[in-house]
Amino acid sequence: MFNIFGPKSYLGVDIGTTSIKIVEIARGEPKPRLINYGILESAGHLERINNAIQTSSLKIVDKDVAELLKTVVKKSNFRSREAVASIPSFSVFITLLEFPKMPKEEMINAMTYQIKQYIPLPVTEVTFDWFVVGERQDNEGFFKEQVLLVSVPNEVINKYKNIFKLAGLNLKALEVESMSLIRSLISGDPTATLIVDIGARSTNIAIAQENSLRFNQQTDFAGTSLTQALSSGLGINIRRAEELKKERGLLGTGDEFDLSTLMVPYLDAIINETKRTKDNYEKKTGAKIERVILAGQGAKLLGIEKYFESQMALPTAIGDPLIGVDYSQEFTPLIKELAPGFAVAVGLGIREFK
Ligand SMILES: Nc1ncnc2c1ncn2[C@@H]1O[C@H](COP(=O)(O)OP(=O)(O)OP(=O)(O)O)[C@@H](O)[C@H]1O
Ligand SMILES: [Mg+2]
């Protein structure tokens, strides 16, 4: 039908610890269309730990984040004011539960009565949701239904509502960032996959199977750890270390030191956590993880793909959230370069079109 208001579009808003990334996505055929994007990176985080945009504590002032959000929206000239935003995994409790297979009504009853024991806060203080994500036959031959329980403290939800209101945006939906990653990076593919999103302050490790989130873990070892390793190892300031890391990654050698030797212990910390997550999931469910997808701007580290692949002994690729959208040629090559870091934002932006 002819739409006199023009095609409706949505903003996918990813508020990370050191950056705000936004994409604007409109309806399109056959794929949703990326019509604009913007990023604001806080350079301050390199010097002072308190300058992070997003922290796991709730201390950071909503008003300041709202101002930053407003700035990106204005500078990038976004048309829409309808936003879909992500909640970082460290603010959420995600648990995979297994129940004997039962009719849907019984499951609803069971969850209503049992949910308390799985939530680390009083039920009145959290908003929760649960989904039947799969089914499996255990070693004794019994059928088990797998239920993913996601709970978010109300305090966190209210904080987001407040930030978006202050920024003049209409918050349509909030979702856990891992779900956005799955939508943009592997939509439609049932393969059991580890998605490792390497940000500045934290690395988020999600397991997707049959196209849904099954497990989530995170670690504080991330991009900043690598920069700090270079800075202290080479006796150079943080800014220089950050530049060196981006320029040469694991492939380059410094004047006297091998850069990769300094960074590898921290990369190994991320890899070990990924292995642990994989082992726990496989043990718990009997499933077999088949591949790794890297995301976040930390995934742009030169040579990371190969190193991860050899250590994990699993096929490893850098995720490309642009495969699920159409976009105009003028955006390439910049958006291509930024793509792994925009995986969460794109997943949020296409949510209403899936
Ligand atoms: N070319 C590059 N090579 C290596 N690392 C890079 C490159 N570009 C950016 N990074 C690193 O990526 C990190 C930022 O990633 P990203 O933008 O995904 O984080 P964020 O979403 O703000 O943070 P978080 O996910 O922790 O909340 C920084 O540590 C930065 O140094
Ligand atoms: Mg991030």
Side-chain angles (χ1 to χ4, degrees), residues 11-24:
L11 304 179
V13 182
D14 170 13
I15 304 178
T17 52
T18 60
S19 66
I20 295 179
K21 305 181 188 93
I22 307 183
V23 295
E24 183 164 7

Side-chain angles (χ1 to χ4, degrees), residues 176-248:
V176 182
E177 59 183 348
S178 297
M179 295 190 170
S180 327
L181 286 169
I182 292 170
R183 192 177 302 112
S184 68
L185 297 175
I186 59 172
S187 183
D189 189 330
T191 312
T193 307
L194 274 159
I195 301 179
V196 183
D197 178 343
I198 308 174
R201 294 287 183 76
S202 68
T203 295
N204 180 41
I205 305 164
I207 294 179
Q209 195 180 344
E210 303 291 335
N211 220 5
S212 64
L213 177 63
R214 298 297 171 95
F215 214 65
N216 212 124
Q217 185 67 44
Q218 65 273 332
T219 161
D220 288 342
F221 290 104
T224 304
S225 328
L226 304 183
T227 306
Q228 273 163 353
L230 288 185
S231 166
S232 53
L234 300 173
I236 54 177
N237 71 33
I238 289 276
R239 274 177 196 275
R240 179 71 194 119
E242 178 79 4
E243 274 170 28
L244 256 187
K245 176 181 83 169
K246 289 184 181 169
E247 262 167 36
R248 309 200 204 158

Side-chain angles (χ1 to χ4, degrees), residues 87 91-94 115 119-131 149-158 161 174 176:
I87 310 179
S91 303
V92 179
F93 309 103
I94 298 173
I115 215 145
I119 297 179
L121 285 171
V123 182
T124 50
E125 290 175 27
V126 296
T127 298
F128 56 84
D129 206 351
W130 56 271
F131 319 84
L149 174 64
V150 179
S151 41
V152 189
N154 290 337
E155 202 182 357
V156 172
I157 294 181
N158 292 336
K161 282 186 179 161
L174 265 176
V176 182

Side-chain angles (χ1 to χ4, degrees), residues 58-114:
L58 289 167
K59 281 199 206 90
I60 185 123
V61 190
D62 295 357
K63 198 161 71 48
D64 295 344
V65 184
E67 277 310 315
L68 294 174
L69 199 48
K70 255 191 197 158
T71 308
V72 202
V73 170
K74 200 165 157 203
K75 284 215 166 129
S76 310
N77 272 322
F78 288 115
R79 274 195 272 158
S80 177
R81 291 295 176 267
E82 304 286 302
V84 181
S86 56
I87 310 179
S89 305
F90 55 68
S91 303
V92 179
F93 309 103
I94 298 173
T95 325
L96 184 67
L97 306 169
E98 286 194 340
F99 293 97
K101 197 164 164 49
M102 59 179 98
K104 184 131 194 248
E105 300 75 57
E106 272 179 50
M107 177 65 81
I108 293 172
N109 266 332
M111 286 305 286
T112 311
Y113 292 109
Q114 293 186 23

Side-chain angles (χ1 to χ4, degrees), residues 34 36-39 297 300 322 327-342:
L34 171 75
N36 199 353
Y37 66 93
I39 178 168
Q297 297 210 73
K300 298 195 309 200
L322 299 178
Y327 52 97
S328 118
Q329 285 306 316
E330 73 188 88
F331 284 168
T332 31
L334 194 57
I335 188 73
K336 276 251 179 269
E337 156 85 23
L338 290 167
F342 271 94

Side-chain angles (χ1 to χ4, degrees), residues 338-349:
L338 290 167
F342 271 94
V344 171
V346 171
L348 292 165

